Amino acid sequence: METTLRGVGVSHGVAIGEVRHMGTAVLEPPARKIAGEDTEREQARARQAVEAVAADLMARGNLAGGEAQAVLEAQALMAQDPELMSDVERRIAEGTTAERSVYDAFAAYRELLANAGEYLAGRVADLDDVRNRIVARLLGVPMPGVPDSDEPFVLVARDLAPADTALLDPALVLGFVTEEGGPTSHTAILARALGVPAVVALARAVELTEGAEVAVDGSTGEIFVDPSARTKEQLRAAEAERAAVLAASTGPGATADGHKVPLLANIGGPADVAAALEAGAEGVGLFRTEFLFLDDSTSAPSEDKQVEAYRAVLEEFPEGRVVVRVLDAGADKPLDFLTPAAEPNPALGVRGVRSLLDHPEVLRTQLTALARAAEGLPVYLEVMAPMVADRTEARAFADACREVGLPAKVGVMVEIPSAALRARSVLQEVEFLSLGTNDLAQYTFAADRQVGAVSRLQDPWQPALLDLVALSAEAAKAEGKSCGVCGEAASDPLLACVLTGLGVTSLSMGAASIPYVRAKLGRYTLAQCERAASAARAADTAEGAREAAAAALAGN
Ligand code: PEP
Ligand code: MG
């Protein structure tokens, strides 16, 4: 009998296949004692296992490239944390085996993280994954991870570690379903980058029967267990229709009546440029520069190294627009040389532009590198600061850009409600706004974007979030300036129409979403989008807003 479950659809498409669970069993090694003379050998074994796992994560990162690389490299650094290693060595010296010492040392560290506040939920999953890999290596058992199978399958997991999502083979993994994670978690972002249909935050996903047939609709978030022939046929037909529409979707983004809305790509580095060009991106709307800094959390990369990386991207978009976001460190992306060590609540601490204003030399080097990278290129460079709260921060950032003579438009991201509420004041200092709806939702609803349990509040259809988008877009219009969206909200085709109706002037998203958004937007006039936007804002819930917008576009 067919049953229907509902999670949060985070990556478009339909996947029909058998359930295979991720091998995430926690390998608890027995608490065996070792003899004193074995201490050094065990310590060496532990060090070798750590190095091998770190090297493997780095190699996976190299293979994957892009945003995945940054995440995997951060995990490799986690594995090599010197304090963790000295704790492991101390435990071995007290007579515990290497595998048990690793297990216990990570458990202690995990506890520390878990008690440091909910924001660390995402990091805990990464930490567990690193621990499982090291323990598996020491025990000589297969690595936890994607199951071996010759047949394509639907991968089900509590949470997918970045190390696994990065190397998912789209030919073998039809789609994936997780119990944790929200629409803006790293896993969701990576799934979209891979173009694999995905549903997250599905309650009790791990209880799905191994081998059962499921149909996953990554657009609606529905999972059909033991789907009937009719359901499968309907889903396939809808998918084929969508594919046909996509194939026909080319050219710049615009509504049916020709109102232009440039469709731009979010990239994490030069490795993502090819997919952006292939999807017909009209430029880059968000270049997350963190990838360059996560290599080494103890110091910033040299100016020359930065010039090289930025130029590699800028050269690919001759006469196109490239919006570079300066380093966004802190909270879930801490860097030792920037982020204060013991903040009680790092998501509300020194992060984003706050870190840069506290370390003007880091900002100056990055801006100088960008100016050098753009030299002699016809590209339209735009530079923006993350997590700007008010006009004072906007001015400080604009001053820093002026000081190095940066030949670029200067803007700020609206990720904090205060910036949306006072957008006109912020716009006295800068030339454009870019709405980071992932963080804007997080701070509007006080709901950590990494925590599956609060994903309802992370839904970008929440009318309160739409109100803040409208405020920002109206302010930009009044000031004769632009206001784009570069958060994940832009990648939802229906929501993209609503954002357009709210007055947003460009949409930036993972490359894989561009054809879907282009096709949907091209079906409606600006007036229809405006009606859909008003209908959505009149609703009281995210679900209500989504339904009202769909009904308005359908002419009801
Ligand atoms: C956002 O917060 O919406 C955003 C685009 O930035 P990031 O996802 O990198 O925090
Ligand atoms: Mg953000």
Short mmCIF file of all heavy atoms in Angstrom, two decimals, residues 184 189 266 286 288 290 325 328 332-333 351 384 386-387 413-415 435-440 449 486-489, ligand 1:
data_model
loop_
_atom_site.label_atom_id
_atom_site.label_comp_id
_atom_site.label_asym_id
_atom_site.label_seq_id
_atom_site.Cartn_x
_atom_site.Cartn_y
_atom_site.Cartn_z
N THR A 184 18.73 25.26 3.98
CA THR A 184 19.95 26.03 3.73
C THR A 184 21.17 25.36 4.34
O THR A 184 22.22 25.97 4.45
CB THR A 184 19.81 27.44 4.30
OG1 THR A 184 19.63 27.33 5.72
CG2 THR A 184 18.64 28.18 3.71
N ILE A 189 22.77 22.59 0.00
CA ILE A 189 23.48 23.40 -0.99
C ILE A 189 24.31 22.49 -1.90
O ILE A 189 24.31 22.63 -3.13
CB ILE A 189 24.38 24.45 -0.29
CG1 ILE A 189 23.49 25.48 0.44
CG2 ILE A 189 25.29 25.16 -1.28
CD1 ILE A 189 24.23 26.47 1.32
N ASN A 266 25.64 31.31 -7.97
CA ASN A 266 26.40 31.32 -6.72
C ASN A 266 27.57 30.36 -6.91
O ASN A 266 27.37 29.21 -7.30
CB ASN A 266 25.56 30.80 -5.55
CG ASN A 266 24.46 31.77 -5.16
OD1 ASN A 266 24.36 32.87 -5.70
ND2 ASN A 266 23.63 31.37 -4.22
N LEU A 286 26.99 35.70 -6.40
CA LEU A 286 27.60 35.49 -5.08
C LEU A 286 28.82 34.60 -5.26
O LEU A 286 28.69 33.42 -5.58
CB LEU A 286 26.61 34.82 -4.11
CG LEU A 286 27.20 34.31 -2.79
CD1 LEU A 286 27.79 35.44 -1.97
CD2 LEU A 286 26.14 33.58 -1.97
N ARG A 288 31.45 33.16 -3.07
CA ARG A 288 31.80 32.97 -1.66
C ARG A 288 33.31 32.76 -1.60
O ARG A 288 33.80 31.73 -2.07
CB ARG A 288 31.09 31.74 -1.09
CG ARG A 288 29.58 31.87 -0.92
CD ARG A 288 28.99 30.60 -0.34
NE ARG A 288 27.64 30.74 0.15
CZ ARG A 288 26.54 30.32 -0.50
NH1 ARG A 288 26.65 29.73 -1.67
NH2 ARG A 288 25.35 30.49 0.02
N GLU A 290 35.24 32.28 0.92
CA GLU A 290 35.75 31.56 2.10
C GLU A 290 36.69 30.41 1.72
O GLU A 290 37.60 30.08 2.46
CB GLU A 290 34.62 30.96 2.94
CG GLU A 290 33.78 31.95 3.66
CD GLU A 290 32.73 32.56 2.76
OE1 GLU A 290 31.78 31.88 2.36
OE2 GLU A 290 32.91 33.73 2.43
N ARG A 325 31.81 38.37 -2.67
CA ARG A 325 31.57 38.64 -1.25
C ARG A 325 32.89 38.50 -0.51
O ARG A 325 33.56 37.47 -0.63
CB ARG A 325 30.56 37.66 -0.68
CG ARG A 325 30.43 37.84 0.84
CD ARG A 325 29.37 36.99 1.43
NE ARG A 325 29.80 35.61 1.57
CZ ARG A 325 28.99 34.62 1.93
NH1 ARG A 325 27.71 34.86 2.13
NH2 ARG A 325 29.44 33.40 2.05
N ASP A 328 33.55 35.78 4.73
CA ASP A 328 32.46 35.66 5.72
C ASP A 328 32.86 34.58 6.73
O ASP A 328 32.49 33.42 6.59
CB ASP A 328 31.17 35.27 4.98
CG ASP A 328 29.98 35.17 5.93
OD1 ASP A 328 30.04 35.77 7.02
OD2 ASP A 328 28.99 34.51 5.56
N ASP A 332 29.49 29.24 11.87
CA ASP A 332 29.76 27.88 11.38
C ASP A 332 31.01 27.82 10.49
O ASP A 332 31.37 26.76 10.01
CB ASP A 332 28.54 27.32 10.63
CG ASP A 332 28.09 28.22 9.49
OD1 ASP A 332 28.52 29.39 9.45
OD2 ASP A 332 27.30 27.76 8.65
N LYS A 333 31.68 28.96 10.28
CA LYS A 333 32.92 28.97 9.50
C LYS A 333 34.02 29.68 10.29
O LYS A 333 34.53 30.72 9.86
CB LYS A 333 32.69 29.68 8.15
CG LYS A 333 31.75 28.95 7.22
CD LYS A 333 31.41 29.76 5.99
CE LYS A 333 30.28 30.71 6.25
NZ LYS A 333 29.64 31.30 5.06
N ARG A 351 31.34 37.93 13.64
CA ARG A 351 31.37 37.18 12.39
C ARG A 351 31.12 38.12 11.23
O ARG A 351 30.76 39.28 11.43
CB ARG A 351 30.33 36.04 12.42
CG ARG A 351 28.92 36.49 12.63
CD ARG A 351 27.93 35.40 12.27
NE ARG A 351 28.11 34.94 10.91
CZ ARG A 351 27.25 34.17 10.24
NH1 ARG A 351 26.15 33.76 10.83
NH2 ARG A 351 27.47 33.80 9.00
N MET A 384 30.79 42.97 -2.12
CA MET A 384 29.84 43.21 -1.01
C MET A 384 30.33 42.58 0.28
O MET A 384 31.13 41.64 0.28
CB MET A 384 28.46 42.67 -1.38
CG MET A 384 28.39 41.18 -1.60
SD MET A 384 26.73 40.75 -2.16
CE MET A 384 26.86 38.96 -2.27
N PRO A 386 29.42 40.72 3.98
CA PRO A 386 28.39 39.89 4.60
C PRO A 386 28.00 40.41 5.98
O PRO A 386 28.79 41.08 6.65
CB PRO A 386 29.11 38.54 4.75
CG PRO A 386 30.56 38.91 4.92
CD PRO A 386 30.77 40.18 4.15
N MET A 387 26.76 40.11 6.40
CA MET A 387 26.32 40.33 7.78
C MET A 387 26.44 41.78 8.24
O MET A 387 26.87 42.06 9.35
CB MET A 387 27.15 39.45 8.73
CG MET A 387 27.04 37.99 8.47
SD MET A 387 25.43 37.33 8.86
CE MET A 387 25.32 37.77 10.57
N MET A 413 25.32 42.85 1.99
CA MET A 413 24.31 41.81 2.08
C MET A 413 23.32 42.17 3.18
O MET A 413 23.72 42.68 4.23
CB MET A 413 24.96 40.47 2.38
CG MET A 413 25.75 39.95 1.22
SD MET A 413 26.34 38.28 1.53
CE MET A 413 24.83 37.32 1.37
N VAL A 414 22.08 41.89 2.91
CA VAL A 414 21.05 42.08 3.94
C VAL A 414 20.76 40.69 4.50
O VAL A 414 20.12 39.87 3.86
CB VAL A 414 19.78 42.71 3.33
CG1 VAL A 414 18.69 42.81 4.39
CG2 VAL A 414 20.10 44.08 2.75
N GLU A 415 21.33 40.44 5.68
CA GLU A 415 21.17 39.13 6.31
C GLU A 415 20.67 39.27 7.74
O GLU A 415 20.42 38.29 8.42
CB GLU A 415 22.51 38.39 6.32
CG GLU A 415 23.12 38.26 4.95
CD GLU A 415 24.36 37.40 4.95
OE1 GLU A 415 25.45 37.96 5.21
OE2 GLU A 415 24.25 36.21 4.69
N LEU A 435 20.19 40.30 -0.88
CA LEU A 435 19.52 39.65 0.27
C LEU A 435 20.05 38.24 0.47
O LEU A 435 19.89 37.38 -0.41
CB LEU A 435 18.02 39.61 0.01
CG LEU A 435 17.32 40.97 0.17
CD1 LEU A 435 16.16 41.10 -0.79
CD2 LEU A 435 16.85 41.12 1.61
N GLY A 436 20.67 38.01 1.61
CA GLY A 436 21.11 36.65 1.97
C GLY A 436 19.99 36.04 2.79
O GLY A 436 19.97 36.12 4.02
N THR A 437 19.04 35.44 2.08
CA THR A 437 17.82 34.98 2.77
C THR A 437 18.07 33.82 3.72
O THR A 437 17.26 33.57 4.60
CB THR A 437 16.74 34.59 1.75
OG1 THR A 437 17.36 33.74 0.77
CG2 THR A 437 16.15 35.81 1.07
N ASN A 438 19.20 33.12 3.56
CA ASN A 438 19.47 32.00 4.49
C ASN A 438 19.70 32.54 5.89
O ASN A 438 19.06 32.11 6.86
CB ASN A 438 20.73 31.23 4.07
CG ASN A 438 20.71 30.81 2.62
OD1 ASN A 438 19.64 30.69 2.03
ND2 ASN A 438 21.87 30.60 2.03
N ASP A 439 20.62 33.50 5.99
CA ASP A 439 20.87 34.07 7.31
C ASP A 439 19.74 34.99 7.74
O ASP A 439 19.41 35.07 8.92
CB ASP A 439 22.21 34.81 7.33
CG ASP A 439 23.37 33.85 7.58
OD1 ASP A 439 23.25 33.02 8.50
OD2 ASP A 439 24.36 33.90 6.84
N LEU A 440 19.13 35.67 6.78
CA LEU A 440 18.03 36.57 7.14
C LEU A 440 16.91 35.77 7.82
O LEU A 440 16.33 36.21 8.81
CB LEU A 440 17.51 37.30 5.90
CG LEU A 440 16.52 38.44 6.16
CD1 LEU A 440 17.10 39.49 7.11
CD2 LEU A 440 16.10 39.12 4.86
N ARG A 449 20.11 27.65 11.15
CA ARG A 449 19.91 27.06 9.82
C ARG A 449 20.44 25.64 9.70
O ARG A 449 20.16 24.95 8.72
CB ARG A 449 20.52 27.97 8.74
CG ARG A 449 21.97 28.29 8.95
CD ARG A 449 22.39 29.44 8.05
NE ARG A 449 22.73 29.00 6.71
CZ ARG A 449 23.47 29.69 5.88
NH1 ARG A 449 23.93 30.88 6.24
NH2 ARG A 449 23.76 29.23 4.69
N CYS A 486 20.52 36.51 -3.17
CA CYS A 486 21.52 35.48 -3.44
C CYS A 486 21.41 34.33 -2.44
O CYS A 486 22.23 33.43 -2.45
CB CYS A 486 22.93 36.06 -3.44
SG CYS A 486 23.45 36.64 -1.82
N GLY A 487 20.39 34.36 -1.59
CA GLY A 487 20.17 33.22 -0.68
C GLY A 487 19.44 32.12 -1.43
O GLY A 487 19.03 32.31 -2.60
N GLU A 488 19.27 31.00 -0.77
CA GLU A 488 18.66 29.84 -1.44
C GLU A 488 17.23 30.10 -1.91
O GLU A 488 16.71 29.37 -2.75
CB GLU A 488 18.72 28.63 -0.51
CG GLU A 488 20.13 28.14 -0.22
CD GLU A 488 20.89 27.79 -1.49
OE1 GLU A 488 20.37 26.99 -2.29
OE2 GLU A 488 22.00 28.32 -1.69
N ALA A 489 16.57 31.12 -1.35
CA ALA A 489 15.19 31.44 -1.76
C ALA A 489 15.11 31.63 -3.28
O ALA A 489 14.12 31.26 -3.91
CB ALA A 489 14.73 32.71 -1.06
C1 PEP B 1 22.78 33.76 2.97
O1 PEP B 1 22.96 33.81 4.19
O2 PEP B 1 21.64 33.76 2.43
C2 PEP B 1 23.95 33.68 2.07
C3 PEP B 1 23.80 33.76 0.76
O3 PEP B 1 25.17 33.50 2.63
P1 PEP B 1 25.70 32.06 3.18
O4 PEP B 1 24.70 31.01 2.77
O5 PEP B 1 27.04 31.86 2.58
O6 PEP B 1 25.73 32.33 4.65
#
